[in-house]
Amino acid sequence: MLSRGRGWRSRRPFWGGVLICLSAAFLLLPAFTSLRIGDLLITVTSIAGVSTLLLGALMAVCGAAVIARPDTRIPAGVSAMILALVALPVANFGGFVLGTLLGVVGAASVLAWSRRASPDRHGPSAVVHGDDESVGHQART
């Protein structure tokens, strides 16, 4: 059972998607929570609340898309990177900076992820470089 989950996670940019979803949670956190210290109630309310909700929801969609469908990693990763950077000035300092940092790191790891070639398809020492025609062929001398 554990090896099935590990295999599923290895076929997709799982941890980058998780970081993007955590970033969405940190972006949405100030918009939905209030803090009570004794008799003092602290809430973050501003006109940026609507944009914070929009940015957080879009970040969550990007993270879920990357986890569910690895083929969407490029558009979702680029979108998550842009949203994370836009969130810094727009959404309560990007979820108190932590949301922006998690979003940037998650989007970068999603964009850097690539599929591994399966050893049974290309042989144990094959490296996939581009098109399938050049894979596994050696120059004849």
Side-chain angles (χ1 to χ4, degrees):
M1 178 81 167
L2 188 60
S3 64
R4 266 184 41 194
R6 188 176 296 129
W8 182 80
R9 284 192 318 260
S10 69
R11 291 189 303 268
R12 60 196 69 243
F14 180 76
W15 294 112
V18 168
L19 288 176
I20 291 173
C21 288
L22 281 173
S23 170
F26 276 101
L27 288 175
L28 291 171
L29 189 66
F32 285 118
T33 60
S34 60
L35 180 65
R36 180 176 292 277
I37 302 174
D39 291 336
L40 183 66
L41 181 66
I42 300 172
T43 44
V44 178
T45 57
S46 65
I47 193 69
V50 174
S51 61
T52 299
L53 294 176
L54 181 65
L55 288 172
L58 289 174
M59 285 290 274
V61 167
C62 288
V66 165
I67 291 172
R69 308 244 344 159
D71 299 339
T72 63
R73 71 178 182 88
I74 300 294
V78 170
S79 299
M81 181 71 75
I82 292 170
L83 289 169
L85 293 174
V86 166
L88 191 61
V90 172
N92 299 317
F93 293 111
F96 303 118
V97 181
L98 196 55
T100 294
L101 289 177
L102 286 172
V104 167
V105 170
S109 66
V110 163
L111 291 171
W113 180 83
S114 64
R115 292 184 193 268
R116 293 184 189 170
S118 60
D120 55 339
R121 181 176 168 213
H122 297 292
S125 62
V127 177
V128 178
H129 288 291
D131 55 349
D132 287 335
E133 295 175 10
S134 65
V135 174
H137 298 289
Q138 295 179 350
R140 296 179 191 232
T141 55

